[in-house]
Amino acid sequence: MATFLYRLGRFSFRKRHVVALFWVALLALAGAGAAGAPAAGNSSFSIPGTEAQKAFDLLDERFPGASADGATARVVFKAPDGQKMTDPGNKAAVQETVDELSGGAEVAQVSDPYQGGGVSQDGTIAYASVTYKVPGMELEETSREALQAAAEDARDSGLTVEIGGDALQAVPETGSAEIIGIGVAAVVLVITLGSLLAAGLPLLTAIVGVGIGVATITALASTLDLGSTTSILASMIGLAVGIDYALFVVSRYRAELAEGREREEAAGRAVGTAGSAVVFAGLTVVIALVGLSVVNIPMLTKMGVAAAGTVAVAVLIALTLIPAVLGYAGRRVRPAGEKSKLLGGGRAKDKADRPNMGTRWASFVVRRPLAVLLLGIVGLGAAAVPAGSLELGLPDDGSQPTSTTQRRAYDLLSDGFGPGFNGPLVVVVDAQGSDDPQAVFRQAGDEIKALDNVVNVAPAAPNKAGDTATIAVIPDAKPSSVATEDLVHDIRAAGAGIKDDTGADVLVTGATAMNIDVSQKLNDALVPYLVLVVGLAFLLLIVVFRSILVPLKAALGFLLSVLAALGAVVAVYQWGWLSGLMGVEETGPIMSMMPIFMVGVVFGLAMDYEVFLVTRIREAHVHGEKPSQAVVTGFRYSARVVTAAAVIMIAVFSGFIGSSDSMVKMIGFGLAIAVLFDAFVVRMTLVPAVLALLGAKAWWLPKWLDRALPNVDVEGESLAVHDRAADKDDEDKELVRA
């Protein structure tokens, strides 16, 4: 592989105009497709194989035209102090709003608060439910504007009016903090590479890669039902790995220049060595992201595949566009150790022979490996303690900032009708084939009323055929509570008894039941996903490192870092530690897909640093150095760059903490803290400690397996052989001339 990539790097450097034109054309093509495509909405959500989804599909079949998957909105009214919603003036204002909303082209129906029990007991709060004919992602902007205009008209009459539901869901904003993250990355690159131009190359190429990836996602969003969150997460991961991969190639290029090689040769060798590590690091990220499909939640699968595509583009850009732009830069990109005049280049070096920080740190660790190893494990273990209290759920309007109308509507409904009113359960009774469907409906309603944590059970609402009915159940607790989850399980247990008695199916659905089923499905998929992803990556790393113990150590270190990161997420978003600093206005259960998403992404990123760091150590070992000295040598050449790459990734991920979307905010924090733990505690501390303790045994591989494995030559040994052959030819020529 090293030889192929070496040739690719030299080709890209030499044919820079062709390579650059190709990527610019690809960016323009993707941009044109995105410009002409419909805007991304909120991806439809389905969870195949769950009871909630089965009930949802049954509603579509038995209640045609009911728009079971249509967008919904709750317009919540609050009377001025000292007044009631039943006062004639307030009642007239509400009625006018209902009439105004009913005229919408996409509106299926609007409930009247005064006819459907939509007024609170104290008379101060009322609500009207609006159901649309189309899902939220397909709702026209004119319908949203009409909804907001109707609410504004009601406010003019003196009422407090807020709107909840998914009809007003907007594309999440990441905020200015994302720009700050890129700014931090730029500063780190300048310090690391010692040149403004060299620092700009990774940023430029990463932005090109993310632009291609996000534009492609935008162009295909409507066709493939990709939500707006998909492109945000793809840009988050693509930008971070794009900068890192480019940084490693540029850094190796400068190191090759420092050894006296010509620029085209240096570009080829940089791609042949660092590029090999980029390929395998990118492959582990892609495996982890595509592996999310095993969960069988379409939205999660699409997010993973889209992000994996952006990572693949970042790898290809690092292998081709980076050497091309290095060709354009020419002598303005200086050898390692030299700085531009603007940054102090040309000054005398007072401490030219002083070991760098990476060398000093690695020397310290290899002298005291056991103490360092124990301290690191204890520290990560302490950070992981909160993960034992992990509670899972999905965000609803209650997790929105208090500045949003959705959150204010949620709070008003909780005040007027109880916290469970925001998460009603829909019980679907399928009595098709029963001798007396009405008796089955009554029995189901009576048994549900007898359960704990039930505030209200509405009368059964049969379909036209009279064989299926829906029963609305209002829990006593808020949607994300354990009590509500227990109630869903209790209703399903009661439904099993009804089925035994009557043969009728009793199914529970609704947003709350969907969330509970998603959490359970994700929990059930976590172990198989871990086995699949870690197993495939373990095999890949055996090929890369030609060792059993090094990949095993990498996997165990990853488990430590991801558990510590989950502990930090629980401490902030569930317990409320430092919540003000992180902009968390409402603590609660952790997003259901957070653990499995973190496992996938963090594993891929953790293997990035493992590959980049350990390949340098193995390279030194292969070239004849003793194990402990190889560790120090590897750190001398790679620690600075790995540290910079980690800081850049942390900065980029941290930028997304400022997002208006609670899911993006939590993922940004989780990935940032995970990279912090994995890069600085696991890879930079535990890895050298373990390698020092293992010594030469770290690189043990059974002979039969060594013969069976393909030689991918990540360390560039074939290039070293090429060097020796070239030197021998030069010597022979000298002898002939002599």
Side-chain angles (χ1 to χ4, degrees):
M1 174 177 284
T3 303
F4 168 76
L5 293 178
Y6 164 77
R7 292 170 180 165
L8 178 63
R10 294 195 61 166
F11 170 84
S12 299
F13 186 96
R14 190 169 54 253
K15 302 291 185 181
R16 62 187 74 104
H17 302 309
V18 175
V19 173
L21 183 62
F22 169 79
W23 285 108
V24 170
L26 196 58
L27 179 60
L29 183 64
N42 294 290
S43 178
S44 58
F45 192 78
S46 63
I47 40 175
T50 62
E51 180 175 314
Q53 187 65 45
K54 182 180 177 182
F56 189 81
D57 295 340
L58 187 64
L59 287 174
D60 271 347
E61 177 189 338
R62 302 288 174 82
F63 292 81
S67 302
D69 62 344
T72 59
R74 276 179 169 173
V75 183
V76 187
F77 308 89
K78 183 181 180 183
D81 292 341
Q83 298 183 25
K84 302 282 188 182
M85 288 305 304
T86 51
D87 293 347
N90 295 335
K91 191 172 183 179
V94 172
Q95 191 60 57
E96 185 177 337
T97 303
V98 170
D99 293 341
E100 185 177 347
L101 290 170
S102 299
E106 293 183 310
V107 174
Q109 63 178 11
V110 182
S111 68
D112 187 327
Y114 303 99
Q115 296 180 6
V119 181
S120 63
Q121 279 191 335
D122 62 6
T124 60
I125 297 174
Y127 74 93
S129 293
V130 185
T131 304
Y132 291 87
K133 300 173 183 177
V134 295
M137 65 172 296
E138 299 175 13
L139 202 61
E140 295 286 343
E141 191 59 34
T142 52
S143 295
R144 293 190 176 94
E145 292 172 355
L147 178 61
Q148 292 171 318
E152 194 58 43
D153 291 341
R155 290 189 188 105
D156 292 340
S157 68
L159 297 174
T160 298
V161 185
E162 305 295 347
I163 306 171
D166 62 355
L168 287 186
Q169 283 184 348
V171 175
E173 300 175 355
T174 54
S176 59
E178 181 182 353
I179 306 301
I180 296 174
I182 296 176
V184 171
V187 172
V188 173
L189 285 170
V190 171
I191 294 172
T192 304
L193 299 176
S195 164
L196 293 175
L197 179 64
L201 297 183
L203 281 175
L204 173 65
T205 55
I207 290 171
V208 170
V210 169
I212 292 172
V214 172
T216 303
I217 291 169
T218 304
L220 298 175
S222 180
T223 304
L224 301 181
D225 189 22
L226 303 176
S228 54
T229 304
T230 303
S231 61
I232 292 178
L233 295 176
S235 67
M236 179 195 301
I237 296 168
L239 187 62
V241 300
I243 294 174
D244 278 7
Y245 295 166
L247 169 61
F248 280 103
V249 175
V250 172
S251 177
R252 187 62 185 250
Y253 171 76
R254 296 178 70 236
E256 296 293 338
L257 288 179
E259 293 183 10
R261 292 192 170 89
E262 294 297 324
R263 294 186 178 273
E264 182 179 328
E265 178 69 11
R269 287 180 172 275
V271 175
T273 51
S276 297
V278 165
V279 169
F280 282 99
L283 193 54
T284 59
V285 179
V286 169
I287 287 173
L289 290 170
V290 174
L292 291 170
S293 58
V294 302
V295 183
N296 196 27
I297 294 180
M299 184 183 77
L300 192 59
T301 299
K302 292 171 186 175
M303 286 168 55
V305 172
T310 307
V311 171
V313 171
V315 171
L316 293 174
I317 281 180
L319 300 178
T320 57
L321 186 57
I322 282 291
V325 295
L326 287 172
Y328 284 117
R331 298 186 180 278
R332 286 169 290 183
V333 175
R334 300 170 180 270
E338 292 187 19
K339 294 183 179 181
S340 65
K341 292 182 179 179
L342 183 64
L343 296 173
R347 298 175 185 172
K349 297 181 179 179
D350 297 330
K351 301 178 180 179
D353 297 327
R354 182 182 177 184
N356 62 20
M357 180 64 76
T359 302
R360 296 197 300 274
W361 173 250
S363 298
F364 168 79
V365 173
V366 297
R367 285 197 305 269
R368 303 171 180 82
L370 187 58
V372 170
L373 180 64
L374 292 176
L375 184 62
I377 292 175
V378 169
L380 290 176
V385 168
S389 303
L390 178 68
E391 295 177 10
L392 298 178
L394 284 179
D396 56 18
D397 286 347
S399 61
Q400 297 268 13
T402 53
S403 58
T404 62
T405 186
Q406 292 96 327
R407 172 60 186 276
R408 292 195 292 264
Y410 181 97
D411 292 341
L412 285 176
L413 288 172
S414 294
D415 294 341
F417 300 91
F421 196 78
N422 283 293
L425 305 175
V426 179
V427 178
V428 183
V429 183
D430 178 10
Q432 193 176 58
S434 174
D435 295 336
D436 189 354
Q438 290 296 328
V440 175
F441 301 155
R442 286 193 299 272
Q443 180 182 350
D446 291 341
E447 292 199 20
I448 293 171
K449 286 179 184 177
L451 297 174
D452 294 334
N453 299 318
V454 174
V455 171
N456 183 54
V457 178
N463 62 349
K464 288 183 179 180
D467 58 7
T468 307
T470 60
I471 301 174
V473 180
I474 306 299
D476 183 45
K478 64 181 183 178
S480 58
S481 68
V482 176
T484 300
E485 181 177 350
D486 291 341
L487 176 60
V488 170
H489 294 314
D490 290 343
I491 294 174
R492 287 172 173 169
I498 294 172
K499 182 176 177 64
D500 291 339
D501 294 340
T502 65
D505 285 323
V506 178
L507 309 172
V508 186
T509 190
T512 302
M514 280 274 195
N515 291 351
I516 292 169
D517 286 352
V518 167
S519 299
Q520 187 60 51
K521 193 175 183 69
L522 288 165
N523 278 339
D524 293 343
L526 185 56
V527 172
Y529 176 71
L530 267 174
V531 171
L532 173 69
V533 172
V534 177
L536 287 175
F538 179 76
L539 294 176
L540 184 66
L541 291 178
I542 289 177
V543 174
V544 173
F545 296 131
R546 308 194 77 79
S547 164
I548 298 293
L549 297 179
V550 171
L552 181 61
K553 166 210 43 94
L556 293 176
F558 152 73
L559 292 176
L560 275 174
S561 60
V562 81
L563 284 173
L566 278 175
V569 169
V570 170
V572 173
Y573 289 88
Q574 187 175 309
W575 291 1
W577 293 4
L578 302 177
S579 56
L581 181 64
M582 297 297 168
V584 180
E585 297 187 17
E586 184 73 19
T587 60
I590 304 304
M591 183 183 63
S592 298
M593 63 181 67
M594 188 69 188
I596 201 163
F597 191 81
M598 276 188 63
V599 164
V601 176
V602 175
F603 183 77
L605 299 180
M607 295 306 103
D608 277 3
Y609 299 120
E610 181 75 15
V611 170
F612 289 132
L613 188 61
V614 179
T615 48
R616 264 297 198 172
I617 296 173
R618 175 169 168 75
E619 184 177 344
H621 179 68
V622 167
H623 292 163
E625 293 189 10
K626 293 181 179 180
S628 59
Q629 184 57 42
V631 171
V632 176
T633 300
F635 267 70
R636 178 167 69 247
Y637 289 115
S638 61
R640 178 184 176 89
V641 181
V642 168
T643 299
V647 171
I648 289 168
M649 201 169 278
I650 291 168
V652 172
F653 288 150
S654 297
F656 289 85
I657 297 175
S659 172
S660 61
D661 186 280
S662 58
M663 180 173 74
V664 174
K665 182 192 294 283
M666 189 181 296
I667 288 176
F669 172 80
L671 294 183
I673 198 71
V675 170
L676 176 68
F677 287 147
D678 195 85
F680 293 106
V681 181
V682 175
R683 308 303 153 190
M684 301 292 287
T685 304
L686 300 188
V687 165
V690 171
L691 290 178
L693 288 171
L694 291 175
K697 295 177 182 177
W699 310 107
W700 172 79
L701 186 69
K703 291 183 179 179
W704 64 268
L705 185 56
D706 187 38
R707 290 191 298 269
L709 291 176
N711 184 10
V712 294
D713 189 23
V714 176
E715 300 83 12
E717 178 64 17
S718 59
L719 301 182
V721 172
H722 173 74
D723 272 353
R724 290 193 290 271
D727 292 342
K728 183 67 167 59
D729 288 343
D730 291 341
E731 290 176 6
D732 292 342
K733 290 176 182 177
E734 288 293 333
L735 289 172
V736 169
R737 282 196 293 267

mmCIF file of all heavy atoms in Angstrom, residues 8 87 130 146 162 165 167 186 225 264 266 287 316 329 404 423 434 452 468 530 550 561 565 581 586 594 600 662 726:
data_model
loop_
_atom_site.group_PDB
_atom_site.id
_atom_site.type_symbol
_atom_site.label_atom_id
_atom_site.label_comp_id
_atom_site.label_asym_id
_atom_site.label_seq_id
_atom_site.Cartn_x
_atom_site.Cartn_y
_atom_site.Cartn_z
ATOM 1 N N LEU A 8 0.809 7.734 -5.837
ATOM 2 C CA LEU A 8 -0.344 8.630 -5.909
ATOM 3 C C LEU A 8 0.024 10.038 -5.441
ATOM 4 O O LEU A 8 -0.391 11.039 -6.048
ATOM 5 C CB LEU A 8 -1.491 8.071 -5.054
ATOM 6 C CG LEU A 8 -2.770 8.920 -4.984
ATOM 7 C CD1 LEU A 8 -3.393 9.052 -6.376
ATOM 8 C CD2 LEU A 8 -3.765 8.300 -4.006
ATOM 9 N N ASP A 87 -64.609 33.568 29.902
ATOM 10 C CA ASP A 87 -65.210 34.901 29.780
ATOM 11 C C ASP A 87 -65.572 35.151 28.321
ATOM 12 O O ASP A 87 -64.833 34.732 27.410
ATOM 13 C CB ASP A 87 -64.236 35.974 30.269
ATOM 14 C CG ASP A 87 -63.988 35.883 31.770
ATOM 15 O OD1 ASP A 87 -64.754 35.171 32.450
ATOM 16 O OD2 ASP A 87 -63.018 36.506 32.255
ATOM 17 N N VAL A 130 -54.272 21.316 16.494
ATOM 18 C CA VAL A 130 -54.323 21.441 15.034
ATOM 19 C C VAL A 130 -53.614 20.232 14.430
ATOM 20 O O VAL A 130 -52.467 19.945 14.773
ATOM 21 C CB VAL A 130 -53.630 22.730 14.554
ATOM 22 C CG1 VAL A 130 -53.809 22.904 13.042
ATOM 23 C CG2 VAL A 130 -54.153 23.940 15.303
ATOM 24 N N ALA A 146 -49.088 30.922 8.729
ATOM 25 C CA ALA A 146 -50.496 31.104 9.078
ATOM 26 C C ALA A 146 -50.744 30.743 10.539
ATOM 27 O O ALA A 146 -51.527 31.414 11.240
ATOM 28 C CB ALA A 146 -51.375 30.250 8.161
ATOM 29 N N GLU A 162 -49.091 30.586 23.138
ATOM 30 C CA GLU A 162 -47.864 29.877 22.782
ATOM 31 C C GLU A 162 -48.227 28.655 21.942
ATOM 32 O O GLU A 162 -49.360 28.164 22.011
ATOM 33 C CB GLU A 162 -47.090 29.443 24.031
ATOM 34 C CG GLU A 162 -46.769 30.570 25.002
ATOM 35 C CD GLU A 162 -45.830 31.617 24.438
ATOM 36 O OE1 GLU A 162 -45.215 31.361 23.366
ATOM 37 O OE2 GLU A 162 -45.698 32.699 25.048
ATOM 38 N N GLY A 165 -45.780 21.435 19.770
ATOM 39 C CA GLY A 165 -45.934 20.434 18.721
ATOM 40 C C GLY A 165 -44.830 20.520 17.688
ATOM 41 O O GLY A 165 -43.945 21.374 17.755
ATOM 42 N N ALA A 167 -45.164 21.112 14.401
ATOM 43 C CA ALA A 167 -45.445 21.925 13.222
ATOM 44 C C ALA A 167 -44.475 23.089 13.073
ATOM 45 O O ALA A 167 -44.240 23.571 11.960
ATOM 46 C CB ALA A 167 -46.879 22.456 13.274
ATOM 47 N N ALA A 186 -7.511 27.023 13.698
ATOM 48 C CA ALA A 186 -6.544 27.774 12.906
ATOM 49 C C ALA A 186 -5.338 28.189 13.741
ATOM 50 O O ALA A 186 -4.187 28.079 13.296
ATOM 51 C CB ALA A 186 -7.219 29.006 12.294
ATOM 52 N N ASP A 225 -34.915 11.325 2.199
ATOM 53 C CA ASP A 225 -35.538 11.630 3.491
ATOM 54 C C ASP A 225 -34.473 11.844 4.570
ATOM 55 O O ASP A 225 -34.500 11.237 5.638
ATOM 56 C CB ASP A 225 -36.494 10.504 3.895
ATOM 57 C CG ASP A 225 -37.335 10.872 5.121
ATOM 58 O OD1 ASP A 225 -37.494 12.072 5.393
ATOM 59 O OD2 ASP A 225 -37.818 9.948 5.814
ATOM 60 N N GLU A 264 8.756 17.020 -4.546
ATOM 61 C CA GLU A 264 7.891 15.976 -5.108
ATOM 62 C C GLU A 264 8.110 14.656 -4.396
ATOM 63 O O GLU A 264 7.162 13.932 -4.081
ATOM 64 C CB GLU A 264 8.146 15.821 -6.603
ATOM 65 C CG GLU A 264 7.237 14.783 -7.250
ATOM 66 C CD GLU A 264 7.468 14.644 -8.743
ATOM 67 O OE1 GLU A 264 7.825 15.653 -9.385
ATOM 68 O OE2 GLU A 264 7.295 13.526 -9.264
ATOM 69 N N ALA A 266 9.204 14.318 -1.331
ATOM 70 C CA ALA A 266 8.673 14.470 0.030
ATOM 71 C C ALA A 266 7.165 14.295 0.045
ATOM 72 O O ALA A 266 6.599 13.675 0.956
ATOM 73 C CB ALA A 266 9.058 15.840 0.589
ATOM 74 N N ILE A 287 -16.180 2.235 9.263
ATOM 75 C CA ILE A 287 -16.763 0.992 9.794
ATOM 76 C C ILE A 287 -17.680 1.301 10.974
ATOM 77 O O ILE A 287 -18.805 0.782 11.071
ATOM 78 C CB ILE A 287 -15.647 0.021 10.225
ATOM 79 C CG1 ILE A 287 -14.947 -0.582 9.004
ATOM 80 C CG2 ILE A 287 -16.212 -1.112 11.093
ATOM 81 C CD1 ILE A 287 -13.722 -1.420 9.346
ATOM 82 N N LEU A 316 -9.841 10.866 0.892
ATOM 83 C CA LEU A 316 -9.406 11.033 -0.497
ATOM 84 C C LEU A 316 -8.754 12.392 -0.724
ATOM 85 O O LEU A 316 -7.773 12.512 -1.476
ATOM 86 C CB LEU A 316 -10.607 10.854 -1.435
ATOM 87 C CG LEU A 316 -11.207 9.442 -1.487
ATOM 88 C CD1 LEU A 316 -12.469 9.424 -2.336
ATOM 89 C CD2 LEU A 316 -10.187 8.454 -2.030
ATOM 90 N N ALA A 329 2.055 25.500 -3.307
ATOM 91 C CA ALA A 329 2.694 26.311 -2.263
ATOM 92 C C ALA A 329 4.198 26.419 -2.473
ATOM 93 O O ALA A 329 4.821 27.433 -2.120
ATOM 94 C CB ALA A 329 2.397 25.718 -0.886
ATOM 95 N N THR A 404 -38.135 29.636 23.897
ATOM 96 C CA THR A 404 -38.909 29.194 22.731
ATOM 97 C C THR A 404 -40.384 29.103 23.067
ATOM 98 O O THR A 404 -40.787 28.835 24.203
ATOM 99 C CB THR A 404 -38.420 27.818 22.245
ATOM 100 O OG1 THR A 404 -38.628 26.849 23.288
ATOM 101 C CG2 THR A 404 -36.943 27.859 21.897
ATOM 102 N N GLY A 423 -47.495 14.312 27.254
ATOM 103 C CA GLY A 423 -47.089 13.031 26.670
ATOM 104 C C GLY A 423 -48.217 12.029 26.687
ATOM 105 O O GLY A 423 -48.081 10.952 27.301
ATOM 106 N N SER A 434 -63.618 -9.952 16.452
ATOM 107 C CA SER A 434 -64.266 -10.179 17.748
ATOM 108 C C SER A 434 -65.790 -10.145 17.580
ATOM 109 O O SER A 434 -66.330 -9.392 16.758
ATOM 110 C CB SER A 434 -63.817 -9.098 18.740
ATOM 111 O OG SER A 434 -64.523 -9.212 19.947
ATOM 112 N N ASP A 452 -52.121 2.226 38.025
ATOM 113 C CA ASP A 452 -51.515 3.360 38.733
ATOM 114 C C ASP A 452 -50.990 4.385 37.722
ATOM 115 O O ASP A 452 -50.707 4.063 36.573
ATOM 116 C CB ASP A 452 -50.352 2.881 39.609
ATOM 117 C CG ASP A 452 -50.826 1.981 40.739
ATOM 118 O OD1 ASP A 452 -51.998 2.117 41.155
ATOM 119 O OD2 ASP A 452 -50.022 1.131 41.193
ATOM 120 N N THR A 468 -61.946 -1.260 15.181
ATOM 121 C CA THR A 468 -60.714 -0.751 15.788
ATOM 122 C C THR A 468 -61.020 0.579 16.466
ATOM 123 O O THR A 468 -61.808 1.379 15.945
ATOM 124 C CB THR A 468 -59.614 -0.542 14.717
ATOM 125 O OG1 THR A 468 -59.454 -1.746 13.971
ATOM 126 C CG2 THR A 468 -58.287 -0.166 15.367
ATOM 127 N N LEU A 530 -21.328 -3.240 19.482
ATOM 128 C CA LEU A 530 -19.965 -3.224 20.012
ATOM 129 C C LEU A 530 -19.160 -4.405 19.472
ATOM 130 O O LEU A 530 -18.009 -4.257 19.051
ATOM 131 C CB LEU A 530 -19.994 -3.279 21.538
ATOM 132 C CG LEU A 530 -19.967 -1.953 22.294
ATOM 133 C CD1 LEU A 530 -20.159 -2.194 23.777
ATOM 134 C CD2 LEU A 530 -18.667 -1.221 22.050
ATOM 135 N N VAL A 550 -1.384 -5.172 20.847
ATOM 136 C CA VAL A 550 -1.568 -3.736 20.587
ATOM 137 C C VAL A 550 -3.022 -3.421 20.217
ATOM 138 O O VAL A 550 -3.624 -2.491 20.777
ATOM 139 C CB VAL A 550 -0.580 -3.244 19.509
ATOM 140 C CG1 VAL A 550 -0.926 -1.816 19.082
ATOM 141 C CG2 VAL A 550 0.842 -3.295 20.038
ATOM 142 N N SER A 561 -12.291 5.188 27.804
ATOM 143 C CA SER A 561 -12.551 6.584 27.449
ATOM 144 C C SER A 561 -14.027 6.835 27.170
ATOM 145 O O SER A 561 -14.571 7.877 27.552
ATOM 146 C CB SER A 561 -11.702 6.999 26.247
ATOM 147 O OG SER A 561 -11.973 6.203 25.121
ATOM 148 N N ALA A 565 -16.472 9.350 29.181
ATOM 149 C CA ALA A 565 -17.196 10.405 28.470
ATOM 150 C C ALA A 565 -18.696 10.334 28.765
ATOM 151 O O ALA A 565 -19.353 11.360 28.974
ATOM 152 C CB ALA A 565 -16.943 10.292 26.974
ATOM 153 N N LEU A 581 -22.829 26.664 32.525
ATOM 154 C CA LEU A 581 -21.688 26.902 31.648
ATOM 155 C C LEU A 581 -21.913 26.289 30.275
ATOM 156 O O LEU A 581 -21.484 26.838 29.251
ATOM 157 C CB LEU A 581 -20.421 26.321 32.293
ATOM 158 C CG LEU A 581 -19.108 26.502 31.530
ATOM 159 C CD1 LEU A 581 -18.762 27.984 31.420
ATOM 160 C CD2 LEU A 581 -17.973 25.747 32.221
ATOM 161 N N GLU A 586 -32.475 22.690 30.916
ATOM 162 C CA GLU A 586 -33.355 21.660 31.482
ATOM 163 C C GLU A 586 -32.616 20.333 31.512
ATOM 164 O O GLU A 586 -32.228 19.809 30.469
ATOM 165 C CB GLU A 586 -34.625 21.531 30.633
ATOM 166 C CG GLU A 586 -35.647 20.553 31.179
ATOM 167 C CD GLU A 586 -36.376 21.072 32.410
ATOM 168 O OE1 GLU A 586 -36.374 22.298 32.638
ATOM 169 O OE2 GLU A 586 -36.933 20.253 33.156
ATOM 170 N N MET A 594 -27.602 8.486 22.239
ATOM 171 C CA MET A 594 -26.297 9.026 22.602
ATOM 172 C C MET A 594 -25.255 7.929 22.873
ATOM 173 O O MET A 594 -24.146 7.993 22.330
ATOM 174 C CB MET A 594 -26.447 9.937 23.824
ATOM 175 C CG MET A 594 -25.208 10.716 24.181
ATOM 176 S SD MET A 594 -24.863 11.965 22.937
ATOM 177 C CE MET A 594 -23.270 12.545 23.479
ATOM 178 N N GLY A 600 -19.924 4.503 18.406
ATOM 179 C CA GLY A 600 -19.522 4.428 17.014
ATOM 180 C C GLY A 600 -18.514 5.486 16.626
ATOM 181 O O GLY A 600 -17.437 5.191 16.092
ATOM 182 N N SER A 662 -31.095 20.367 20.963
ATOM 183 C CA SER A 662 -30.573 19.705 22.167
ATOM 184 C C SER A 662 -29.771 18.458 21.825
ATOM 185 O O SER A 662 -28.796 18.131 22.510
ATOM 186 C CB SER A 662 -31.723 19.348 23.112
ATOM 187 O OG SER A 662 -32.670 18.513 22.474
ATOM 188 N N ALA A 726 18.430 2.283 -4.061
ATOM 189 C CA ALA A 726 18.917 3.467 -4.780
ATOM 190 C C ALA A 726 20.325 3.823 -4.329
ATOM 191 O O ALA A 726 21.192 4.166 -5.145
ATOM 192 C CB ALA A 726 17.961 4.638 -4.565
#
